[in-house]
Amino acid sequence: MKIELTIILFCFTTLFGCQTTTENINTNTDESLKLISYCDSLLQKEKYSLNFESDTDKGFLKIGNFLNEDRQNAILVSFDSSASFKIFELESNEWKLIFRQEDIDMTRAFSIEAFIEDYNFDGINDIGLRNEISNGTSIMTFYLWLNEQGTFVEIPEFRNIGNPTIIKYLNRIQGYSACCAYSEMTLTNYVWFNNSLRKMEQLEISNYPNGSGITANVSERYGITQRAVKIKEKEINRIIDKFSSNWKIIDTTGKIGFTSGEVTFFY
């Protein structure tokens, strides 16, 4: 009798234990597994693409030789309960995960676009992802990961630099911000110091387009010194045109900018 009771209890426990496990599996096979399946499928399908980029509601994927011309890499931003950022490298015809960061502060409300450039002037390509564009003044927000000897380091303060421009001949990053139909604008120069950005000079423009009422100030040495400067309306229009309609990630012309000591415009 004891033996029969034991067998019955064993079967009862096994049955309900299996049912519980099955329910857990079913819970995890909805959108998260669909997302994994979709991304895995694209990763395999475009494995040898020289330049593939896809941005859908399921995630962002870029594949190609963008970090090193001798290696195939992939960037994947996936959105589930939270956003994650992954970098893969193709090794022996298989994708190898080389970097992963969970809970990145990205939103699916905006599109994603990759800008692979040398942001810190060390000769190595880094990863910049644009994720937000404001209405009205076209200010873009970027997320930046520096490529540091086989790993990647996010630079959180880069998110605060609107429409970032790489000025190679000065080893500077220049940022722009504007609001209120361009009545207020700032143009800021940054330099790198130990994987962080330091603000060097900032040009502040206000009361535009009120003609003679326009004011402009340059602050230097981390804001310690500040002085008023003269600026013409046509010069302001050129700034707006450069950073709004004709923005480019790399400034190779030096047409518009300013340097420490004085506001300098090149025509």
Side-chain angles (χ1 to χ4, degrees), residues 50-262:
L50 295 179
N51 187 18
F52 174 81
E53 194 164 311
S54 172
D55 186 27
T56 70
D57 58 348
K58 295 181 175 64
F60 171 83
L61 178 64
K62 180 177 179 63
I63 299 175
N65 305 99
F66 46 82
L67 293 178
N68 189 310
E69 62 181 13
D70 298 324
R71 301 174 187 171
Q72 191 82 334
N73 288 100
I75 299 170
L76 174 63
V77 178
S78 57
F79 295 90
D80 190 14
S81 57
S82 63
S84 66
F85 173 75
K86 299 174 185 176
I87 304 174
F88 298 87
E89 186 167 298
L90 196 62
E91 187 175 291
S92 300
N93 295 322
E94 296 295 336
W95 287 115
K96 176 184 177 182
L97 181 65
I98 61 173
F99 181 80
R100 178 173 184 167
Q101 183 175 332
E102 298 292 339
D103 299 322
I104 59 173
D105 187 23
M106 280 192 178
T107 173
R108 187 64 282 183
F110 299 91
S111 63
I112 298 175
E113 186 175 355
F115 291 82
I116 311 299
E117 303 289 348
D118 178 12
Y119 286 82
N120 60 342
F121 313 106
D122 64 353
I124 303 172
N125 278 345
D126 308 298
I127 299 174
L129 298 181
R130 188 205 67 199
N131 184 227
E132 296 182 27
I133 303 177
S134 69
N135 294 324
T137 53
S138 302
I139 304 301
M140 296 176 285
T141 300
F142 276 64
Y143 295 73
L144 175 64
W145 286 266
L146 295 181
N147 190 347
E148 292 289 327
Q149 298 179 349
T151 189
F152 292 83
V153 178
E154 187 188 7
I155 310 300
E157 64 264 32
F158 204 83
R159 304 178 195 175
N160 300 320
I161 301 177
N163 297 21
T165 303
I166 302 170
I167 306 177
K168 289 187 174 181
Y169 62 94
L170 292 176
N171 280 7
R172 300 283 177 91
I173 298 292
Q174 193 166 85
Y176 170 77
S177 64
C179 74
C180 313
Y182 301 104
S183 63
E184 297 181 4
M185 286 171 275
T186 61
L187 194 62
T188 310
N189 289 335
Y190 300 86
V191 295
W192 287 101
F193 183 79
N194 292 339
N195 284 349
S196 64
L197 286 163
R198 287 186 174 181
K199 185 186 296 184
M200 296 299 294
E201 307 98 11
Q202 182 166 278
L203 171 64
E204 300 176 353
I205 301 170
S206 58
N207 296 327
Y208 174 80
N210 294 329
S212 60
I214 297 173
T215 60
N217 295 283
V218 170
S219 60
E220 301 168 296
R221 300 171 58 202
Y222 316 109
I224 295 176
T225 62
Q226 184 171 332
R227 57 191 173 79
V229 295
K230 293 182 179 180
I231 190 169
K232 298 177 181 179
E233 189 170 345
K234 66 178 181 180
E235 295 169 336
I236 297 175
N237 288 332
R238 285 186 170 91
I239 293 175
I240 295 173
D241 180 66
K242 174 183 177 180
F243 286 95
S244 297
S245 302
N246 296 302
W247 170 87
K248 294 180 180 179
I249 188 68
I250 296 180
D251 181 355
T252 57
T253 63
K255 292 290 184 182
I256 293 179
F258 74 99
T259 58
S260 180
E262 63 177 319

